[in-house]
């Protein structure tokens, strides 16, 4: 990593980073407790911030500079000395603070388990919340490797809260999850193969007025996004994911988001840049389309 860490997304010396006026609050969350295959997600947020400092800030599609709406990056969450449960509590409490300031939280992971406390915090503020989970994996196990806090269980925790859930891009699912789905018709899944073959029908009517969107970077095809802990073949492509998010923004008010599971790899800086650009496109679509 850099000698001097980048502390602000996109614009280290710009006036757009004012914590009092920013509309978007970026929360770098270097959480890494239950990752099972490849370690390194704790480096994800800093890699995204570093790549974002090299990014052009004009969006040619939206014909504006979305960052001018105000994007403030909070200090990197410090999980030192905390166990997994305490780290998740810190993450959720940080998001509560952001919401109290009327800002839209955009959390950078870090492993996906952070989404559960974040979604719980957003749900407290928006009781009608629906969740869209864009991921290769269902993450619907009741627990994984002995803990209900696992990254493989986050959407089960969302279901536990009674929050309507729409999963998109899924192509890795366990027998336990398949069995669970049979008892939970309120969870809708759009499989990756349906999108790839052009016959996906997304049940947009399931969205509430307010929506939270969590994007696990492993939803992308590993040929485009290799730097994830658990890559799966047959993933979505760049413009498919952008179009999905843009459509979500047209149909619902996105009140919180996260981009998780970047696991930076030596020699694969394209992954860091892709994650940073994705975050910026999300900000642009959320505020300007
Ligand atoms: Mn995943």
């Amino acid at each position: 990593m850099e000698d001097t860490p980048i502390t602000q997304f996109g614009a280290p010396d710009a006036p757009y980073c004012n914590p009092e006026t920013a509309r978007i609050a970026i929360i770098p969350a270097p959480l890494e407790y239950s990752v099972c295959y490849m370690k390194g997600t704790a480096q994800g947020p800093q890699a995204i911030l570093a790549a974002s400092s090299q990014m052009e800030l004009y969006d040619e599609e939206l014909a504006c500079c979305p960052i001018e709406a105000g994007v403030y990056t909070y200090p990197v969450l410090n999980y030192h000395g905390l166990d997994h449960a305490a780290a998740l509590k810190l993450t959720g409490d940080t998001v509560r603070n952001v919401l109290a300031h009327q800002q839209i939280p955009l959390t950078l992971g870090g492993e996906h388990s952070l989404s559960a406390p974040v979604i719980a915090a957003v749900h407290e503020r928006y009781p009608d919340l629906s969740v869209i989970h864009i991921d290769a994996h269902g993450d619907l196990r009741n627990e994984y490797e002995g803990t209900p806090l696992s990254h493989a269980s986050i959407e089960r925790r969302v279901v536990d809260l009674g929050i309507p859930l729409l999963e998109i891009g899924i192509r890795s699912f366990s027998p336990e999850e398949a069995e669970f789905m049979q008892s939970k018709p309120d969870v809708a899944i759009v499989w990756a193969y349906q999108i790839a073959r052009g016959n996906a029908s997304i049940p947009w009517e399931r969205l509430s007025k307010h929506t939270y969107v969590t994007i696990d970077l492993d939803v992308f095809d590993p040929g485009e996004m290799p730097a994830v802990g658990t890559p799966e073949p047959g993933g979505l492509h760049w413009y498919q994911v952008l179009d999905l998010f843009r459509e979500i923004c047209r149909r619902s008010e996105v009140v919180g988001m996260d981009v998780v599971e970047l696991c930076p790899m030596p020699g694969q800086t394209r992954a860091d840049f892709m994650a940073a650009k994705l975050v910026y496109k999300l900000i642009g679509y959320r505020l300007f389309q």
Side-chain angles (χ1 to χ4, degrees):
M1 286 295 112
E2 284 66 24
D3 295 330
T4 309
I6 302 290
T7 59
Q8 289 297 315
F9 182 85
D13 54 357
Y16 319 124
C17 309
N18 183 340
E20 302 305 319
T21 56
R23 295 192 59 199
I24 302 281
I26 290 190
I27 304 162
L31 190 83
E32 183 166 344
Y33 287 87
S34 64
V35 175
C36 54
Y37 185 68
M38 201 170 80
K39 295 206 179 299
T41 51
Q43 310 304 322
Q46 191 56 57
I48 293 172
L49 294 180
S52 77
S53 71
Q54 304 295 316
M55 201 174 55
E56 296 290 359
L57 298 174
Y58 179 78
D59 187 311
E60 70 282 2
E61 186 183 5
L62 301 168
C64 67
C65 290
I67 202 153
E68 291 178 3
V71 177
Y72 175 68
T73 306
Y74 275 66
V76 177
L77 292 184
N78 182 1
Y79 297 126
H80 187 72
L82 302 184
D83 66 15
H84 194 180
L88 294 177
K89 181 174 186 307
L90 172 64
T91 312
D93 288 346
T94 303
V95 167
R96 279 184 192 89
N97 182 43
V98 162
L99 292 167
H101 285 85
Q102 317 298 330
Q103 294 169 324
I104 301 166
L106 199 173
T107 309
L108 306 180
E111 66 165 76
H112 210 165
S113 64
L114 66 84
S115 299
V118 169
I119 290 169
V122 176
H123 183 234
E124 287 167 15
R125 193 162 190 91
Y126 300 97
D128 74 318
L129 192 73
S130 54
V131 168
I132 299 192
H133 170 90
I134 303 176
D135 196 325
H137 308 91
D139 293 344
L140 284 165
R141 287 179 160 95
N142 190 38
E143 58 174 55
Y144 189 64
E145 294 182 333
T147 171
L149 305 178
S150 168
H151 63 99
S153 303
I154 47 136
E155 295 307 348
R156 188 65 169 262
R157 302 291 79 82
V158 168
V159 172
D160 288 347
L161 290 171
I163 298 173
L165 175 63
L166 170 57
E167 299 200 332
I168 301 177
I170 312 302
R171 55 195 189 279
S172 177
F173 215 60
S174 67
E176 179 196 336
E177 290 170 297
E179 188 178 342
F180 172 69
M181 278 300 292
Q182 290 178 353
S183 67
K184 278 286 172 186
D186 284 350
V187 183
I189 298 184
V190 178
W191 306 97
Y193 76 84
Q194 295 172 317
I195 296 171
R197 292 172 183 158
N199 56 9
S201 171
I202 297 176
W204 294 117
E205 71 279 4
R206 303 179 72 100
L207 294 194
S208 313
K209 182 169 184 289
H210 301 104
T211 296
Y212 184 93
V213 180
T214 173
I215 301 182
D216 184 331
L217 290 166
D218 65 30
V219 75
F220 287 102
D221 192 81
E224 292 180 34
M225 172 45 78
V228 293
T230 45
E232 285 287 337
L236 275 57
H237 302 298
W238 174 249
Y239 285 109
Q240 287 179 309
V241 173
L242 295 192
D243 290 352
L244 258 177
F245 187 79
R246 192 168 193 182
E247 191 63 24
I248 294 165
C249 289
R250 286 189 179 123
R251 291 171 177 273
S252 183
E253 184 182 342
V254 175
V255 291
M257 0 177 203
D258 64 56
V259 173
V260 298
E261 295 285 352
L262 179 67
C263 193
M265 299 165 77
Q268 297 283 2
T269 49
R270 63 183 165 126
D272 305 350
F273 280 84
M274 182 173 174
K277 188 73 178 264
L278 176 68
V279 169
Y280 197 46
K281 292 298 288 186
L282 301 184
I283 292 169
Y285 289 140
R286 172 60 184 83
L287 298 181
F288 289 100
Q289 68 90 43

